[in-house]
Amino acid sequence: MGLVASGAWYFTLGFIEMKICFKVIIALLSLAFTTHMAHAIDISGRAKISDGDTIEIGSQVIRLHGIDTPETGQRCALPNGKTWPCGKAALEYVKELVADTQVRCTGNEFDEYSRLLAICETGEGLEINRNLVDVGLAWAFVRFSDDYVAQERDARAKKIGVWQYETDAPWKFREARWQVAQQTAPDGCPIKGNISRNGQIYHTPWSRYYNKTKISLERGEKWFCSEDEALKAGWRAPFN
């Protein structure tokens, strides 16, 4: 009898401890969720366009979460052996989406260049990130997120946009251009820090203005080893 009572007692204690543990876990999860939501950043306004996946509202540069569009200087392959300006097409498409409308972006983290990683919508409620993948003008950026993998799969199946024929993903395009430019750049630092009437603007090797841009050290122009270095020195990416 004593053993049975003792066993029942320990069982009851164990059950109570489990309930307490469960309540603590729920409380912690709830706190984490609340904290996460409290740090969400919501920005609205007219957008200026740097490229297909980067915009600026006010003074905040925003990188569209979960996607990667072709670079402005990138051309994509066609089945007939020719190429088309897919980077420029993505840029112009985003320009058209945001023209004459307020854009709302929501995100809760920043990348290494202090860009807000966000999901953005037009004033009509169209999600820009998802739509770019839907129409074949962006890749799902699976290195950082799998949010748009299904949309990419559908666009691939339809063979639309960048999926008309096998072509380099933007990250491979950037890497190849960087390696080539490094070979002739001073100290292997290929980013051009140009000074013009529009201010201090840097151009990466994959920019469509890169080859046209000449650097004059006498005028205070510079070469940079990274975008982060250029940004910290007061240069900005070009608007298109």
Side-chain angles (χ1 to χ4, degrees):
M1 182 69 175
L3 288 174
V4 172
S6 176
W9 171 251
Y10 283 120
F11 176 80
T12 303
L13 276 177
F15 181 71
I16 291 171
E17 287 173 354
M18 284 178 62
K19 285 181 70 177
I20 292 172
C21 251
F22 182 73
K23 288 181 178 179
V24 169
I25 290 170
I26 293 298
L28 288 173
L29 287 173
S30 181
L31 177 62
F33 179 76
T34 303
T35 303
H36 173 80
M37 292 304 292
H39 286 84
I41 298 171
D42 204 340
I43 298 177
S44 297
R46 291 298 179 94
K48 292 186 287 187
I49 312 302
S50 294
D51 58 32
D53 51 38
T54 309
I55 67 174
E56 186 171 328
I57 298 177
S59 60
Q60 180 60 59
V61 179
I62 298 163
R63 177 67 163 79
L64 298 182
H65 160 79
I67 71 169
D68 202 3
T69 61
E71 295 298 334
T72 53
Q74 185 173 356
R75 299 183 68 86
C76 293
L78 290 169
N80 61 7
K82 295 183 179 181
T83 63
W84 64 289
C86 52
K88 186 178 179 182
L91 171 71
E92 295 301 326
Y93 186 80
V94 175
K95 277 186 177 181
E96 187 175 339
L97 284 182
V98 305
D100 303 319
T101 185
Q102 293 282 309
V103 176
R104 178 182 178 184
C105 297
T106 304
N108 57 13
E109 62 178 311
F110 295 84
D111 67 8
E112 60 186 310
Y113 307 118
S114 300
R115 300 178 300 187
L116 177 66
L117 302 176
I119 294 174
C120 298
E121 294 182 349
T122 65
E124 294 73 33
L126 177 70
E127 186 191 318
I128 298 171
N129 312 46
R130 182 183 300 271
N131 185 249
L132 279 164
V133 184
D134 283 339
V135 299
L137 288 175
W139 281 254
F141 209 172
V142 292
R143 176 182 170 190
F144 299 103
S145 170
D146 60 2
D147 286 354
Y148 302 104
V149 169
Q151 286 74 26
E152 180 185 297
R153 189 184 305 119
D154 289 344
R156 279 176 181 266
K158 295 174 184 174
K159 295 185 177 181
I160 56 175
V162 299
W163 306 114
Q164 295 177 69
Y165 198 71
E166 185 176 346
T167 198
D168 281 340
W171 50 90
K172 291 183 178 179
F173 178 79
R174 290 191 292 267
E175 182 181 4
R177 286 296 181 96
W178 183 273
Q179 289 175 353
V180 170
Q182 265 190 321
Q183 295 173 15
T184 56
D187 300 318
C189 297
I191 295 178
K192 297 178 178 180
N194 178 240
I195 299 175
S196 71
R197 62 181 181 180
N198 295 318
Q200 297 182 157
I201 300 170
Y202 71 82
H203 299 280
T204 56
W206 47 87
S207 164
R208 61 175 170 166
Y209 303 113
Y210 188 79
N211 291 333
K212 296 179 181 179
T213 302
K214 308 301 178 185
I215 295 300
S216 169
L217 299 179
E218 292 75 18
R219 293 181 59 239
E221 297 177 327
K222 297 183 178 181
W223 293 88
F224 297 105
C225 298
S226 70
E227 288 187 74
D228 186 50
E229 182 185 3
L231 289 166
K232 286 178 178 176
W235 268 255
R236 66 166 177 82
F239 295 124
N240 289 289

